[in-house]
Amino acid sequence: MHNKRDVGALIDMGVRVLEDSTHLFDDHDHRLEAEELMAVALDAATDDLDPSAVPSQRASERYLSYIARRAAGEPLPFITGYIDFYGLELKVRPGAFVPRPSSELLVDRAARRLRRKRDPVVVDVCTGAGPIAIALADEFPHAEVWGTDILAEGLALGRANARDLGIDNVTLRKGDMYGALPARLEGAVDVITGHVPYVPPDEVDDLPSEVKEYEPVSTLTDESTDGLRLMRTAVFEAARWLKPGGWLLLEVSDDMPPKVRKLLRRSELKDMGLASDSDGLSVVVEAVKDR
Ligand SMILES: C[S@@+](CC[C@H](N)C(=O)[O-])C[C@H]1O[C@@H](n2cnc3c(N)ncnc32)[C@H](O)[C@@H]1O
């Protein structure tokens, strides 16, 4: 029998279920997620949700099944089908790393370095489905933006997203780190961004289900003992691609900066410190190539 709960009560219930889940990071905004899932179930905008409205039985069931999927660890964007990243609606599907809102800090930091450049060149290594590259290409239509990754699924999704958004100044190429770039970019890049895998392999099991069961393991770790093989490549090969005065910006977790800064000390780049967002969850390590 259809139990006629209103939107407000269903959302409260969804929040409780998500809070009790052991498969999710505990820093998610469960209310916002329950509201988003309700909006998808009702085919409405979250701003238009009326807490006192009573959804149809089908819509209630749809919502509850979404909540159950989310509580079991399925990433929210796989259920909604998209993520809002830097003001862009990006389609998301399994087979690639799911863009994280925390990477918007990396876009912000790159944008600061690009603002006064006329026709800048940007490279995003480990681009996945290209959210960082696409956001920068959108923000700087005169920039030439490149993204590289070894996984074809993410690149195909990124190209489709860029095409749908009418962004044509981004090229997403399959290949190993800087190896996918054309030689003419050597010494010509203004900003390199990277959200490189850095989880040591023996720590992957400790990640919540929403990560380790839904994203390819190669998006999380490079399988090297310390998890820093790709980070070393990102740091030590950057100088070859950067212009004098060009920046390397690497997004890492809050416990990583000492390790990355140790690498920077052994590189040709100058360590310029850290940037972090207001909740401290996202950190960007910044370095510059001397003029
Ligand atoms: C943490 S994810 C970040 C993806 C994307 N930048 C984002 O923020 O959504 C790391 C990415 O590195 C890619 N990757 C792993 N090994 C790589 C390699 N040798 N060269 C280039 N990309 C690689 C993975 O496929 C994955 O997409």
Side-chain angles (χ1 to χ4, degrees):
M1 203 183 73
H2 179 37
N3 188 349
K4 290 201 165 96
R5 273 175 295 214
D6 63 25
V7 165
L10 283 163
I11 288 175
D12 288 344
M13 190 173 89
V15 173
R16 286 195 297 277
V17 173
L18 296 180
E19 277 171 355
D20 286 346
S21 168
T22 55
H23 298 294
L24 308 175
F25 279 116
D26 45 22
D27 60 348
H28 291 296
D29 184 334
H30 298 304
R31 179 156 298 276
L32 198 68
E33 291 203 353
E35 286 171 359
E36 263 193 62
L37 292 174
M38 176 60 84
V40 176
L42 292 174
D43 196 17
T46 39
D47 286 348
D48 294 338
L49 292 178
D50 172 3
S52 61
V54 176
S56 69
Q57 179 170 357
R58 285 186 67 169
S60 296
E61 285 171 0
R62 212 162 35 232
Y63 165 76
L64 292 173
S65 79
Y66 293 159
I67 289 287
R69 283 166 62 185
R70 181 67 185 124
E74 191 168 341
L76 182 78
F78 287 177
I79 306 173
T80 60
Y82 74 94
I83 188 163
D84 182 62
F85 185 83
Y86 219 76
L88 300 172
E89 195 170 291
L90 300 179
K91 293 200 185 78
V92 176
R93 59 173 182 248
F97 188 81
V98 180
R100 308 288 202 265
S102 53
S103 296
E104 291 181 344
L105 174 68
L106 184 54
V107 178
D108 271 340
R109 299 304 297 181
R112 276 170 70 106
R113 310 295 168 205
L114 294 169
R115 215 144 264 148
R116 280 175 297 279
K117 308 260 185 236
R118 184 178 287 211
D119 295 310
V121 178
V122 182
V123 168
D124 181 43
V125 289
C126 297
T127 200
I132 296 154
I134 292 171
L136 287 170
D138 180 57
E139 202 65 14
F140 297 94
H142 296 291
E144 175 184 349
V145 184
W146 291 78
T148 71
D149 203 284
I150 48 167
L151 279 188
E153 289 85 345
L155 296 169
L157 180 58
R159 288 184 200 113
N161 275 325
R163 198 172 44 243
D164 291 351
L165 292 163
I167 298 169
D168 59 7
N169 55 328
V170 60
T171 306
L172 302 180
R173 274 236 181 132
K174 187 162 184 283
D176 187 4
M177 302 295 285
Y178 302 105
L181 299 173
R184 70 171 173 85
L185 294 188
E186 283 188 37
V189 180
D190 292 273
V191 170
I192 297 171
T193 54
H195 185 195
V196 177
Y198 51 68
V199 181
D202 58 353
E203 289 178 22
V204 170
D205 269 352
D206 302 335
L207 295 169
S209 309
E210 67 173 314
V211 176
K212 68 180 177 203
E213 285 170 23
Y214 289 91
E215 292 174 311
V217 71
S218 61
T219 68
L220 311 171
T221 178
D222 61 20
E223 311 268 8
S224 60
T225 317
D226 60 0
L228 291 175
R229 181 177 60 82
L230 291 172
M231 199 63 83
R232 276 188 277 274
T233 305
V235 169
F236 294 137
E237 291 186 17
R240 181 175 144 206
W241 298 92
L242 287 172
K243 273 182 190 163
W247 289 78
L248 173 67
L249 308 172
L250 295 168
E251 175 182 350
V252 295
S253 56
D254 56 357
D255 57 334
M256 290 281 297
K259 294 179 194 167
V260 181
R261 298 179 85 179
K262 202 165 153 192
L263 298 180
L264 284 172
R265 282 199 287 279
R266 290 166 40 214
S267 78
E268 293 167 60
L269 305 180
K270 189 165 155 205
D271 181 352
M272 297 300 282
L274 309 177
S276 67
D277 58 11
S278 52
D279 54 16
L281 288 173
S282 182
V283 181
V284 175
V285 179
E286 306 191 326
V288 74
K289 179 174 166 178
D290 270 340
R291 284 183 189 279

